Amino acid sequence: MRPVLRFMVTEHRALPLLGAIVLAALLAVACDRLMLPSRSTAMPATPTSVPIAQPSPTPEIRESPAVVVTPTQGPPLIEGRPYLRDTTPGAVIYYEPQIGYQTVGKVKDAFAAALKILEQELGAPAPEKVALFLSGQDQFTLLASAHGFPPTSYILGFYSPSPQQGVEDAASGVYLNADGESLFHTLGHELSHAAAPGLPSWFGEGLADYIGTRVEKEMNPRKQLDRMQVYRRVVRDAVNDGTLLDQTALESFDLRADHACLELDRFYGQAWQLMEYIGMTYGTSALRGLVASYRDNTQSGDPFNAVLGTPAETVWQKFSTDITENLTTQERVDQSLDGMQRLAGQAEAITHDWDLFIAQTAPGQPENPRDALIGFGERWVSLAQQTARLAAPGRALSIRDLWYRYFQSMAFAMQDYAQGNDASANRRIAVANQAYSLASAALQESLLRRPSLSCD
């Protein structure tokens, strides 16, 4: 951001001197898109400022990597690296030595929370004893590659339904990137695949995020809330721009194909948020019914109509309406900040046109072109009017009022210049300077605090 806004004022009315007004760019951080971690390229351990853990596909049954467990000769070796071993009710934990025991303890707590949540939400019994593998970024990449995932794919965890070779006290494996974001969400996500296997891909991934979200809420409520806001925004934008996937598109979505990051975010986000909507609207018993219907193939035709009493097409329509209209308080604040970003962009366009206007005005012109000045004033008036109509709940109200003062002061200044009242115009410019400085700083701070509005 270029925060300095300078105005050089003059008692003269010659336009070249008036051209000394310099309007700085409003906000370098303003943008119209989300920055979400890419799954198509390798990412560092802490990929972005947006605290989200991307859900990961569950692989087909593959030959597990060689694991040599030799208790009498030292720690087990997995892909040539030593692991330490621990246990917790329902799981055995293998972790690399550099992973702190505090992290292992939190994983134990998250595992216990996940089992409780699976029982409460889905009535699902605990999966047969699971091996949890905690690895750093490099080792996790090797393990993911050994299970058939491309080395460039950005995943934070995966579930293997086959018993791990050499690990006799576990029936399946959950592999976690201990350096990745949202470790507890990922653990809950992958365990849901173990507890409720055999579901269609889109339904299983949405349900896994539904469970992972509740595990994260137990362990880190703030991160869970941030992630929820980010993905609700992704889905809401898809509704508004007409890219929301229908049921047929979700069912045919190939997770092993090479998709753009935003396509994957929409797929996972929509499948997850649909589960949230069903749970909120129809209750957890409806989710259980759909799980049973999809797993056991007990229903012919439309499972939604059979279980929910509502056709799938209607559920889809109600879901898309709900996520765009039934906004949380934070989302309404974000919507207001979005509006301010757009108005700030319009103000930048006025500034650009003003610079061109000054550059094209002949030096020595004795009078200001009154009509052009009036036109600039009307454009600033329009911004002030749009700002006044902008809903601004909570903290957004004070920020909106600062932008309104800035736009209104600029409008009055242009009108004064057009009437030849340079002294009054210069005083209004000083007020505009102050309002702009406060407004831009307040908006920038709010944007940095809103993960769903994060920008490059």
Side-chain angles (χ1 to χ4, degrees), residues 12 24 28 56 66 205 272 278 289 316-317 335 428 435:
H12 300 284
S56 57
E205 295 302 333
W272 167 29
I278 291 172
W316 245 250
Q317 182 58 51
Q335 193 173 66
R428 294 189 189 279

Side-chain angles (χ1 to χ4, degrees), residues 72 83 85 123 136 172 186 222 247 249 259 282 328 333 382 391 403 408 419:
T72 60
Y83 276 66
R85 183 182 179 280
S172 59
T186 306
R222 176 65 190 181
Q247 185 176 4
H259 295 286
Y282 300 93
T328 66
V333 171
S382 176
W403 284 109
Q408 188 180 51
Q419 295 169 5

Side-chain angles (χ1 to χ4, degrees), residues 19-31:
I21 295 177
V22 178
L23 294 179
L26 292 171
L27 284 176
V29 297
C31 70

Side-chain angles (χ1 to χ4, degrees), residues 67-71 73-88 91-105 107-108 130-136 139 143 164 166-167 169 174-176 178:
V67 178
V68 180
V69 182
T70 54
Q73 300 178 12
L77 298 177
I78 301 175
E79 287 292 311
R81 298 278 287 274
Y83 276 66
L84 301 179
R85 183 182 179 280
D86 201 343
T87 60
T88 193
V92 56
I93 303 173
Y94 293 92
Y95 61 100
E96 289 193 277
Q98 77 273 13
I99 296 173
Y101 195 73
Q102 184 178 12
T103 298
V104 176
V107 167
K108 290 182 179 181
V130 178
L132 302 178
F133 296 89
L134 299 177
S135 308
Q139 176 70 353
L143 292 171
Q164 186 66 44
V167 179
D169 51 356
V174 167
Y175 297 78
L176 303 170

Side-chain angles (χ1 to χ4, degrees), residues 261-321:
C261 177
L262 184 55
E263 291 176 330
L264 287 171
D265 291 328
R266 286 171 177 164
F267 170 81
Y268 279 106
Q270 185 176 330
W272 167 29
Q273 291 305 315
L274 181 63
M275 298 301 110
E276 296 286 350
Y277 172 75
I278 291 172
M280 176 184 65
T281 306
Y282 300 93
T284 55
S285 61
L287 283 176
R288 295 183 184 188
L290 286 171
V291 169
S293 179
Y294 276 115
R295 286 188 63 184
D296 303 333
N297 294 318
T298 57
Q299 302 290 344
S300 60
D302 181 359
F304 284 85
N305 196 34
V307 176
L308 308 181
T310 306
E313 183 178 355
T314 303
V315 174
W316 245 250
Q317 182 58 51
K318 289 183 176 181
F319 162 63
S320 61
T321 299

Side-chain angles (χ1 to χ4, degrees), residues 64-399:
S64 301
V67 178
V68 180
V69 182
T70 54
T72 60
Q73 300 178 12
L77 298 177
I78 301 175
E79 287 292 311
R81 298 278 287 274
Y83 276 66
L84 301 179
R85 183 182 179 280
D86 201 343
T87 60
T88 193
V92 56
I93 303 173
Y94 293 92
Y95 61 100
E96 289 193 277
Q98 77 273 13
I99 296 173
Y101 195 73
Q102 184 178 12
T103 298
V104 176
K106 289 181 178 179
V107 167
K108 290 182 179 181
D109 293 340
F111 181 82
L115 296 184
K116 180 180 68 175
I117 290 166
L118 285 166
E119 170 63 30
Q120 291 174 345
E121 297 290 330
L122 303 180
E128 192 175 350
K129 199 165 189 179
V130 178
L132 302 178
F133 296 89
L134 299 177
S135 308
Q137 177 68 57
D138 293 341
Q139 176 70 353
F140 178 80
T141 300
L142 291 176
L143 292 171
S145 179
H147 279 79
F149 293 102
T152 56
S153 66
Y154 178 59
I155 59 175
L156 296 179
F158 60 91
Y159 163 68
S160 176
S162 58
Q164 186 66 44
Q165 180 181 358
V167 179
E168 298 179 355
D169 51 356
S172 59
V174 167
Y175 297 78
L176 303 170
N177 181 350
D179 292 335
E181 294 283 354
S182 298
L183 175 63
F184 310 124
H185 174 276
T186 306
L187 173 59
H189 178 106
E190 303 305 338
L191 279 176
S192 72
H193 291 313
L199 298 173
S201 176
W202 73 270
F203 191 91
E205 295 302 333
L207 190 68
D209 263 358
Y210 176 90
I211 297 299
T213 295
R214 279 144 185 80
V215 176
E216 181 104 79
K217 186 176 181 179
E218 289 277 334
M219 304 299 296
N220 193 335
R222 176 65 190 181
K223 183 169 287 188
Q224 177 271 334
L225 179 61
D226 287 345
R227 189 176 189 277
M228 177 72 77
Q229 296 298 323
V230 168
Y231 274 93
R232 279 180 58 86
R233 170 72 181 267
V234 168
V235 178
R236 191 163 57 249
D237 287 348
V239 173
N240 291 331
D241 62 24
T243 58
L244 190 73
L245 301 173
D246 60 18
Q247 185 176 4
T248 301
L250 281 176
E251 290 173 345
S252 61
F253 194 91
D254 184 3
L255 284 171
R256 297 188 180 278
D258 185 15
H259 295 286
C261 177
L262 184 55
E263 291 176 330
L264 287 171
D265 291 328
R266 286 171 177 164
F267 170 81
Y268 279 106
Q270 185 176 330
W272 167 29
Q273 291 305 315
L274 181 63
M275 298 301 110
E276 296 286 350
Y277 172 75
I278 291 172
M280 176 184 65
T281 306
Y282 300 93
T284 55
S285 61
L287 283 176
R288 295 183 184 188
L290 286 171
V291 169
S293 179
Y294 276 115
R295 286 188 63 184
D296 303 333
N297 294 318
T298 57
Q299 302 290 344
S300 60
D302 181 359
F304 284 85
N305 196 34
V307 176
L308 308 181
T310 306
E313 183 178 355
T314 303
V315 174
W316 245 250
Q317 182 58 51
K318 289 183 176 181
F319 162 63
S320 61
T321 299
D322 180 82
I323 203 166
T324 54
E325 296 183 0
N326 187 18
L327 303 182
T328 66
T329 299
Q330 281 198 2
E331 287 170 341
R332 288 189 288 111
V333 171
D334 288 352
Q335 193 173 66
S336 182
L337 297 177
D338 272 346
M340 292 180 210
Q341 288 188 74
R342 290 191 293 270
L343 293 172
Q346 293 180 46
E348 187 174 3
I350 298 175
T351 300
H352 174 73
D353 293 345
W354 175 263
D355 290 340
L356 293 177
F357 169 67
I358 295 301
Q360 295 169 2
T361 302
Q365 184 174 332
E367 296 291 334
N368 292 333
R370 185 172 182 275
D371 289 345
L373 292 170
I374 291 175
F376 278 107
E378 290 174 345
R379 292 173 69 181
W380 287 111
V381 167
S382 176
L383 286 187
Q385 292 173 342
Q386 292 179 62
T387 304
R389 293 193 297 266
L390 186 66
R395 185 180 179 185
L397 178 61
S398 61
I399 304 175

